[in-house]
Amino acid sequence: MGIVAGLDSSPDSTRIVVCDTDTGAVLKQGYAPHPLESAEGGGRPADVDPQAWLLSLGEAAGGGLLEGVQAIGVSAQQNALVPLDGHGNTVRPALVGNDRRAQVAAVDLIDGLGGREAWARAVGCVPQAGQPVTKLRWLARTEPEAARHVAALMQAPDWLVWQLLGRPARRTTDRGGASGTGYWSAATGAYRPDLVELALGHQTMLPEVIGPAEPAGTTPEGLLISAGTGETMAAAFGLGVRQGDAVVSLGASGSVMAVHHEALTDTRGMITALADATGLHLPVVHTMNAVRVLRGTAEMLGVTDLEELSALALKSTPGAHGLVLLPYLEGERTPQLPHAAGTLTGLRRESMKPEHLARAAFEGMLCGLGDALDVLRGRGVEVRRVFLLGAAAGLPAVQAAAPMLFGTQVVVPQPADYAALGAARQAAWALTGQLPLWQGAAAQVFEPGEEHAVGQAVRQQYATVREQSHPGAFAAGAAGV
């Protein structure tokens, strides 16, 4: 029996799973928080010393956790940029997360290349504050002395793989991680060094992009290290999603991604063309508003938590007695309405009850994500089932409404360290040379059943209000029912 390990270095912690190579069964697990200083205001820091990731990794692997392991895969936050000097030392702490400081830099880059369409055609995405290419522009404008010393660029998974291998001369990354940089194209499989120069002011060394099953190297002790990848790609691999599957993630904001056979270039910039960890593609569409809509509604109604809001919503019926909530509380990316606000329509005396507003909040959130799903469907992406992720996926109101509104089977996986599992699966692939056919995630499955037609009527009601409030927000064929 072979044994492999997968580690996931998230923004907060390191999680390690040790798995049977043949079945994927989890044999042991480890966990350790990152020793990070809090940012001002109690939020996550925007600058992190990468050594903190190594300290956390060492603690999580303590107690002989990795004894007998033959190969390790690495998953980590793909937006964390590690700038290095000519000796391989960090020029400054890593820039991590969705760094709001870089919002102006994103606008500068968009204008610098000639607009959103130019970026979409170049690398399949439009610069956002969190992307490495945007952080490079911020660095060049804000810390020019540090920027001048940058000789090489890595992301968090690349840097961790490099450290595990003893900092060899060869530096590698994978398609998944590279596709999130903003200077590598999933469509062409090539870097755009000119975009690095546009952002930073000069070119740098970039890691070699290796294949999904190709090892990054072997440690002096004989431990194989696989290519590594970003958390998004590792989680998809750990879940076992395949063509015909979409993943809807319910955070404060939302995202919809699907497995597809080709990169999608979207000149409007709604689709981000990521690559997955298997050689396929993960087109992603983001929404600004998801669970924040539920939390805002709960506060308005004086409800203590989302579980109570869910129970209240289930006292209403599909369509919420005509109430429609357009959930654009923070503006919106899909459709592109950055300065919009939320809209509540359909107020009548009989509809002005707490349960109907609660229902409208759940339906508005899910219809907004349904619009994002339709952006992908409109480009030929097949969606036969939807994986629903995030704590809110366990709410009964979400589970009742999502299948009818998405018009497809909805799968709610049990909580697990899917990014770490995906990293372990990659390690098994590199070790054996064969794609491991591990058992999929344990999950609840919900079918639209007879309520499919009802759900589509609710979507139509929502789409009518959206079009009346924001005419032409979606280009022809971009979304709809």
Side-chain angles (χ1 to χ4, degrees):
M1 179 181 71
I3 300 176
V4 295
L7 70 89
D8 174 44
S9 182
S10 74
D12 301 312
S13 62
T14 298
R15 298 180 182 274
I16 300 177
V17 294
V18 177
C19 300
D20 172 73
T21 304
D22 296 326
T23 66
V26 176
L27 308 175
K28 293 182 287 185
Q29 300 182 68
Y31 167 84
H34 291 329
L36 301 177
E37 296 180 4
S38 296
E40 291 185 26
R44 290 176 178 161
D47 300 329
V48 173
D49 183 349
Q51 293 297 325
W53 306 333
L54 286 180
L55 291 171
S56 174
L57 193 164
E59 184 179 346
L65 183 75
L66 299 180
E67 288 181 5
V69 168
Q70 298 163 283
I72 293 179
V74 175
S75 158
Q77 45 185 322
Q78 65 253 29
N79 280 343
L81 179 69
V82 185
L84 304 174
D85 64 18
H87 301 289
N89 300 317
T90 52
V91 169
R92 68 174 319 282
L95 292 154
V96 303
N98 187 23
D99 195 339
R100 290 182 178 271
R101 298 176 300 180
Q103 288 176 335
V104 174
V107 176
D108 287 347
L109 283 176
I110 293 170
D111 292 341
L113 194 64
R116 301 173 64 88
E117 182 174 342
W119 277 96
R121 293 191 184 282
V123 287
C125 64
V126 176
Q128 302 289 335
Q131 285 182 298
V133 71
T134 308
K135 290 169 179 172
L136 285 178
R137 170 55 70 98
W138 177 88
L139 184 63
R141 294 289 187 265
T142 311
E143 301 177 8
E145 185 61 28
R148 278 193 289 270
H149 287 89
V150 175
L153 298 173
M154 302 187 87
Q155 293 175 278
D158 317 333
W159 187 85
L160 285 167
V161 165
W162 188 54
Q163 296 292 326
L164 290 173
L165 290 172
R167 295 166 56 109
R170 184 193 190 208
R171 299 171 188 174
T172 62
T173 188
D174 89 308
R175 296 170 64 255
S179 68
T181 60
Y183 45 81
W184 185 88
S185 168
T188 65
Y191 281 116
R192 286 288 303 265
D194 59 311
L195 299 183
V196 175
E197 185 169 2
L198 175 67
L200 186 62
H202 63 271
Q203 295 193 11
T204 69
M205 290 182 58
L206 300 170
E208 176 189 349
V209 181
I210 62 177
E214 185 178 349
T218 303
T219 68
E221 298 78 22
L223 184 63
L224 184 144
I225 309 295
S226 64
T229 195
E231 274 190 310
T232 299
M233 302 79 188
F237 200 28
L239 279 167
V241 298
R242 55 184 185 268
Q243 288 195 66
D245 293 338
V247 179
V248 174
S249 182
L250 300 176
S253 56
S255 67
V256 178
M257 68 179 180
V259 181
H260 197 50
H261 65 277
E262 63 179 348
L264 296 178
T265 299
D266 176 31
T267 57
R268 299 158 303 166
M270 287 190 192
I271 299 174
T272 298
L274 298 179
D276 80 344
T278 72
L280 296 173
H281 296 270
L282 284 176
V284 183
V285 180
H286 295 276
T287 69
M288 290 297 295
N289 302 279
V291 177
R292 61 166 46 101
V293 177
L294 304 183
R295 297 200 183 282
T297 305
E299 291 173 8
M300 179 184 289
L301 292 174
V303 172
T304 57
D305 55 37
L306 297 188
E307 287 73 17
E308 187 177 348
L309 185 72
S310 172
L312 188 62
L314 290 177
K315 293 180 180 179
S316 182
T317 54
H321 274 242
L323 282 188
V324 176
L325 176 63
L326 296 183
Y328 305 153
L329 306 187
E330 298 287 332
E332 189 49 74
R333 286 180 61 180
T334 307
Q336 293 168 5
L337 298 167
H339 306 297
T343 303
L344 181 65
T345 66
L347 288 169
R348 294 182 176 84
R349 179 66 189 88
E350 62 271 18
S351 66
M352 296 177 69
K353 295 181 179 180
E355 60 266 31
H356 301 323
L357 178 55
R359 179 83 189 197
F362 280 94
E363 291 180 347
M365 176 188 74
L366 292 170
C367 283
L369 289 161
D371 279 352
L373 194 62
D374 284 348
V375 170
L376 295 177
R377 283 172 164 152
R379 293 298 305 279
V381 177
E382 182 183 16
V383 179
R384 292 192 299 268
R385 61 176 178 172
V386 169
F387 284 77
L388 206 54
L389 303 184
L395 296 173
V398 170
Q399 295 174 353
M404 70 169 79
L405 295 176
F406 294 157
T408 188
Q409 183 185 84
V410 169
V411 179
V412 181
Q414 292 183 3
D417 297 327
Y418 290 110
L421 286 167
R425 193 177 179 200
Q426 186 193 68
W429 195 3
L431 179 67
T432 66
Q434 295 183 334
L435 179 63
L437 300 177
W438 290 0
Q439 185 174 352
Q444 293 177 280
V445 178
F446 301 90
E447 301 284 354
E450 296 178 356
E451 294 192 320
H452 177 261
V454 175
Q456 296 313 290
V458 174
R459 287 289 311 278
Q460 185 60 60
Q461 175 179 267
Y462 176 91
T464 299
V465 172
R466 183 196 66 221
E467 188 60 25
Q468 290 172 345
S469 302
H470 304 282
F474 281 107
V481 182

